[in-house]
Amino acid sequence: MRPLLLLLTACAATFAAVPASAERLTLDRIYGDTALAGPGVKNLRVSPDGERVTFLRGRADNQHQQDLWEYNMKTKTTQRLVDSKRLVPNEELSLEEKARRERARTAGLSGILTYHWSPDGKKLLVPIAGDLYLVDAARPDAPRKVASGNVIDPKISPKGRYVSFVRNQNLVVIDLQTGAERQLTHDGKGTIHNGEAEFVAQEEMDQHTGYYWAPDDSAIAYRRYDEAPVPVVRRFEIFADRTEVIDQHYPAAGDPNVLIELMIVDPATGQQRKVDLGPDKDIYLVRADFSADAKTLVYQRQSRDQKRLDLVAVDVDTLAQRPLLSETSPTWVEIHNDLRFLKQKKAFIWASERSGRKHLYLIGLDGKLQYPLSKGEWGVDNILAVDEAAGKLYISSGKDAMIDKQTYALKLDGSNAGAPTRITSGDGWHEAAFSGNGKIFVDTYSSPTTPPQVSIRRADGSMVEWLEKNELNASHPYGKHMAEHLPTEYGTLKAKDGQVLHYSIIKPSNFDATKRYPVFLFTYGGPHSQRVTRTWGNYFDQYMAQQGFVVFRLDNRGSGRRERAFTDALYNNLGKVEVEDQLAGIDWLAKQSFVDPKRVGVFGWSYGGYMTLRLLAAASSKIAMGVSVAPVTDWALYDTHYTERYVGGTPKSDPQAYQRSGVFAHLDGMTSPLLLVHGMADDNVLFTNTTRLIDELVKRNVQFDLMTYPGAKHGISGKVNQRHVYGMIEAFFKKHLGGVQAN
């Protein structure tokens, strides 16, 4: 259950002159075709030759339809490279592609969603609607279709000789020298999949690929899995005009997972070899990577209970194996994407939370620790780039402030492990995309008073050029709303165990401290998620504050980007510390003179929907109403990897943990009004979660409001659906909480 992006907060620019006339936000405007924040950019990449910065941008008439653009470093000009509408005027997506987009949280987008540079920086590989195009960067108006037929996960090989992709559950390559297409696997059908990531790998392990190229194009390691052991859940996807019956292999907690294998194939000959993953077949294959010299394949194997992660090296020629290291934890071992092999040294960079915080270590190819690359009372978010020539490693972190994200430089000799050099300026949130050699990066920066700006910078942080300055002036889409834009304030509270909790608060328009206001409390609350950040604000938060609500968020224990003592607090008893911490926030609000403690409402989606139910059940005396969207109600209904990681055990091995972590054991305390919302084709948090809750509420004679969306999946995506669901949320809050009252 990775966090769900509820609202698209695209790019705008810094404060400049705002127009004299000002308008408050409307839901129609928020969900209109034109992006409120101006011309946003996504999927930023520096071409391998360093001559271009490419990105995806929504069209002027439809922010959700994306085209491919470039900024030319030599000519300092920006132009559209590929018009998605010219390639495919009307998209028709396969069921498999729709499912992949749901996993990747891109179901609301169309056009070009991703692309790949050739290693020489001359060509781009562009997939769209199941077809695959090769685009010459110098002649982008003449794209060449190289494959079709529901192509997924396309790549250009590291040396540029091949294009690879998965089609009809089989791995395929095209030799770009000869144009010949070769299907490398032939048994992909039914329950057998080659080169794909299985459901839980996509949804919970941040794995959206199932195959991995050797750096010299000599081999591909790929996942082969059989989902036959996974129970079939028969889902009824109810649309406005029809009902489709879907048989989905869904591994609920305690169920068998797929049978996973790791294979190596020669792309030139098709020769196959199988890597032995060990005697225990009930494992997770987390990642696979080749060493810089392509002689070693390294795979990550996680135990079913997720308390052990092994890193194993395989000799590509002989398939002989040797263990490199193991990570263990009494709760769970966190997985990551931060394995990097060095080219100039027989060593690799590895991320570990063995110290209680995520830090980086240099480890030899013999598996022996050489020295830490980072250390101290802070943690690393992720590796951004490695520049071996300069002896530097670039990372993102909240070292200076937990509600910020900054870019830092570490030295590969470990000499500044405890004191990395910060290279981004401006308190707030920086997302950095580095060139392959680590010499330049694209910085997307925002803060509560600075909508996102995009600039090209050298590795020391100095400016090269604006990519999207996007000044907030009278002609800017948000310009006329800026005078009504409300500031976000930040602070901290203490949890019961003394740990620090961060919160944010937006006070209503025309705020008067002598009056009392209702509260709109948004919660997510689940692991891996941080919702209190010093970034450009969420439009719906702004909207609700402008409607007269105090808008409040709090990151409870278990939330992401924190030390293990903070995240582990929810283990084996979901909903306990999360509810305690949110109630600590509500108690703090009740002490504020401008808050009406009898008019606090809660809204959450996914894990946040679960949190809304648990909060109403625990404290209807303090919470006047709640809106729960797509909630998990019984963790035995959710998938293996996520649920068993945090609940611990299975419904059979630890039934008490599942009972206390679910919703049903606590429902007798729920007396406040509830709006329950769910998509009727949700393949992530299955609709069964809501139908079971409906049944339990009816048995208790609990009245509630219900809204279901025909054909909608977990995100209830699309501007029409989004406009409607947020309109319902607003109306429910206003119905039960009313407006401002005199003190």
Side-chain angles (χ1 to χ4, degrees):
M1 183 181 290
R2 289 176 295 110
L4 185 71
L5 183 62
L6 298 181
L7 290 172
L8 297 175
T9 308
C11 296
T14 55
F15 280 97
V18 295
S21 61
E23 296 181 11
R24 291 186 177 179
L25 289 170
T26 66
L27 293 181
D28 287 333
R29 184 64 192 89
I30 291 173
Y31 298 103
D33 286 335
T34 304
L36 254 179
V41 296
K42 301 175 184 176
N43 289 40
L44 290 151
R45 294 177 189 170
V46 181
S47 65
D49 58 11
E51 294 185 0
R52 295 174 168 88
V53 175
T54 45
F55 53 91
L56 301 179
R57 170 182 282 170
R59 299 171 72 91
D61 59 346
N62 183 357
Q63 61 176 309
H64 307 295
Q65 174 89 27
Q66 298 186 137
D67 298 327
L68 178 60
W69 289 70
E70 72 152 8
Y71 174 82
N72 191 294
M73 298 283 283
K74 290 183 177 179
T75 64
K76 300 188 182 303
T77 57
T78 300
Q79 66 171 344
R80 181 163 56 188
L81 273 179
V82 182
D83 184 330
S84 61
K85 281 291 189 181
R86 286 191 61 188
L87 284 184
V88 180
N90 298 295
E91 293 184 32
E92 293 185 10
L93 303 178
S94 66
L95 292 176
E96 294 81 4
E97 179 60 21
K98 289 178 181 178
R100 282 176 59 84
R101 293 189 182 194
E102 194 68 26
R103 302 283 79 76
R105 304 297 190 259
T106 58
L109 300 174
S110 58
I112 301 170
L113 272 63
T114 187
Y115 61 94
H116 306 270
W117 274 107
S118 64
D120 61 3
K122 304 299 183 186
K123 292 181 172 59
L124 293 129
L125 191 65
V126 179
I128 181 170
D131 295 334
L132 192 57
Y133 294 85
L134 200 61
V135 178
D136 188 328
R139 298 178 59 250
D141 291 336
R144 178 165 62 97
K145 184 187 288 190
V146 293
S148 59
N150 296 327
V151 168
I152 63 173
D153 194 19
K155 303 175 187 177
I156 296 181
S157 63
K159 291 296 184 181
R161 178 174 175 179
Y162 299 97
V163 164
S164 56
F165 53 86
V166 175
R167 183 171 57 203
N168 299 327
Q169 299 173 209
N170 284 297
L171 186 59
V172 181
V173 295
I174 297 174
D175 189 324
L176 292 178
Q177 294 179 356
T178 66
E181 179 178 300
R182 177 189 292 273
Q183 185 171 312
L184 298 178
T185 64
H186 300 275
D187 61 346
K189 61 182 178 179
T191 61
I192 304 296
H193 296 254
N194 294 290
E196 297 180 56
E198 68 273 24
F199 173 86
V200 294
Q202 292 183 47
E203 181 61 36
E204 312 299 357
M205 299 159 63
D206 195 27
Q207 276 287 279
H208 300 285
T209 187
Y211 68 96
Y212 318 88
W213 274 100
D216 62 357
D217 286 7
S218 63
I220 303 173
Y222 71 92
R223 306 163 80 99
R224 180 187 183 276
Y225 70 86
D226 184 356
E227 58 184 349
V230 180
V232 174
V233 174
R234 175 156 289 184
R235 293 190 296 104
F236 295 88
E237 295 198 348
I238 303 173
F239 294 80
D241 57 351
R242 69 191 189 280
T243 297
E244 295 182 359
V245 180
I246 306 296
D247 289 338
Q248 178 183 353
H249 289 271
Y250 187 97
D255 285 343
N257 280 313
V258 301
L259 293 174
I260 192 77
E261 297 177 330
L262 180 60
M263 307 292 293
I264 300 176
V265 61
D266 185 327
T269 66
Q271 180 186 2
Q272 305 271 348
R273 293 178 297 157
K274 182 178 176 180
V275 176
D276 184 1
L277 296 178
D280 185 0
K281 303 304 179 184
D282 194 11
I283 53 98
Y284 294 104
L285 177 61
V286 178
R287 305 278 191 272
D289 302 87
F290 283 90
S291 61
D293 61 8
K295 294 180 179 179
T296 304
L297 173 67
V298 174
Y299 68 87
Q300 299 179 42
R301 179 183 60 211
Q302 190 178 44
S303 60
R304 174 68 184 255
D305 65 9
Q306 299 180 61
K307 295 182 179 182
R308 182 183 180 93
L309 178 71
D310 297 317
L311 190 66
V312 182
V314 181
D315 185 288
V316 173
D317 291 332
T318 67
L319 299 187
Q321 299 191 33
R322 54 189 172 86
L324 289 176
L325 58 85
S326 295
E327 299 282 352
T328 60
S329 170
T331 55
W332 71 87
V333 176
E334 199 67 70
I335 58 180
H336 58 80
N337 290 310
D338 294 315
L339 172 62
R340 299 288 189 278
F341 287 97
L342 300 184
K343 297 178 180 179
Q344 299 176 5
K345 184 180 282 190
K346 292 184 177 181
F348 60 90
I349 300 168
W350 176 253
S352 170
E353 293 179 310
R354 62 188 66 174
S355 69
R357 297 174 186 267
K358 183 179 177 182
H359 280 299
L360 302 175
Y361 301 86
L362 190 68
I363 298 175
L365 291 182
D366 57 1
K368 294 181 179 179
L369 172 65
Q370 296 188 2
Y371 48 81
L373 294 167
S374 67
K375 61 183 179 182
E377 297 302 305
W378 56 281
V380 172
D381 291 331
N382 60 285
I383 295 174
L384 299 171
V386 179
D387 183 353
E388 289 190 68
K392 292 183 178 180
L393 163 70
Y394 298 96
I395 62 167
S396 63
S397 173
K399 180 180 183 299
D400 292 334
M402 199 60 247
I403 57 176
D404 289 356
K405 178 185 278 191
Q406 302 287 346
T407 303
Y408 300 83
L410 289 163
K411 293 183 178 180
L412 286 174
D413 63 7
S415 59
N416 70 336
T421 302
R422 177 170 153 181
I423 65 173
T424 45
S425 59
D427 293 343
W429 203 264
H430 294 262
E431 294 286 355
F434 273 77
S435 60
N437 60 12
K439 300 301 183 185
I440 63 172
F441 69 99
V442 183
D443 179 38
T444 302
Y445 164 68
S446 78
S447 77
T449 56
T450 308
Q453 301 180 299
V454 186
S455 58
I456 303 170
R457 296 181 178 270
R458 300 177 185 88
D460 62 3
S462 60
M463 172 71 82
V464 175
E465 188 65 65
W466 284 110
L467 182 61
E468 191 58 78
K469 194 171 184 180
N470 196 13
E471 291 184 293
L472 188 55
N473 51 34
S475 62
H476 191 279
Y478 200 80
K480 60 185 178 182
H481 303 289
M482 201 58 235
E484 293 289 339
H485 188 85
L486 299 166
T488 303
E489 303 171 24
Y490 297 86
T492 59
L493 304 173
K494 288 290 184 69
K496 278 188 176 181
D497 62 0
Q499 296 197 77
V500 174
L501 310 173
H502 291 272
Y503 71 81
S504 67
I505 188 169
I506 305 175
K507 294 173 182 174
S509 296
N510 303 315
F511 177 71
D512 184 344
T514 66
K515 296 180 179 179
R516 287 181 179 266
Y517 297 87
V519 174
F520 173 81
L521 190 156
F522 168 79
T523 182
Y524 182 81
H528 286 137
S529 176
Q530 181 185 16
R531 296 305 172 97
V532 178
T533 55
R534 197 147 52 183
T535 56
W536 180 245
N538 180 295
Y539 290 138
F540 192 66
D541 279 8
Q542 278 289 320
Y543 176 78
M544 291 300 283
Q546 291 176 17
Q547 295 297 308
F549 291 86
V550 170
V551 175
F552 186 78
R553 295 183 174 209
L554 180 140
D555 281 336
N556 48 252
R557 281 172 289 172
S559 300
R561 295 185 77 223
R562 293 290 297 270
E563 59 277 10
R564 286 307 296 258
F566 190 86
T567 58
D568 284 354
L570 53 65
Y571 181 72
N572 200 230
N573 197 355
L574 296 188
K576 181 178 184 297
V577 299
E578 303 100 296
V579 167
E580 286 179 359
D581 293 351
Q582 294 294 333
L583 290 179
I586 290 171
D587 290 341
W588 177 84
L589 285 167
K591 297 174 183 177
Q592 308 308 304
S593 62
F594 55 87
V595 167
D596 185 345
K598 296 182 179 180
R599 294 189 296 151
V600 175
V602 177
F603 155 59
W605 196 308
S606 195
Y607 200 103
Y610 160 77
M611 282 289 294
T612 296
L613 298 173
R614 288 295 304 267
L615 282 163
L616 291 179
S620 279
S621 61
K622 296 180 179 181
I623 304 170
M625 48 114 340
V627 179
S628 174
V629 183
V632 174
T633 59
D634 181 353
W635 287 106
L637 297 174
Y638 202 61
D639 71 54
T640 51
H641 194 269
Y642 185 95
T643 308
E644 294 170 17
R645 182 192 327 160
Y646 300 123
V647 179
T650 68
K652 288 185 178 180
S653 68
D654 195 352
Q656 291 79 18
Y658 279 79
Q659 183 179 25
R660 63 177 174 259
S661 293
V663 169
F664 302 128
H666 309 278
L667 281 180
D668 290 341
M670 183 186 294
T671 58
S672 294
L674 168 68
L675 170 60
L676 182 61
V677 181
H678 214 126
M680 301 180 80
D682 194 333
D683 61 350
N684 179 3
V685 178
L686 303 182
F687 191 52
T688 309
N689 283 272
T690 281
T691 57
R692 285 200 59 191
L693 177 61
I694 291 170
D695 189 52
E696 291 294 332
L697 293 175
V698 170
K699 288 177 182 177
R700 291 168 169 79
N701 195 30
V702 175
Q703 298 296 316
F704 61 97
D705 287 51
L706 175 68
M707 178 63 196
T708 57
Y709 284 87
K713 293 193 179 294
H714 191 54
I716 312 181
S717 57
K719 64 180 182 180
V720 173
N721 281 346
Q722 290 277 292
R723 168 64 181 86
H724 190 273
V725 70
Y726 281 102
M728 281 198 68
I729 294 166
E730 175 201 5
F732 201 74
F733 268 81
K734 286 183 175 178
K735 174 183 177 181
H736 292 284
L737 301 186
V740 63
Q741 293 181 356
N743 221 333

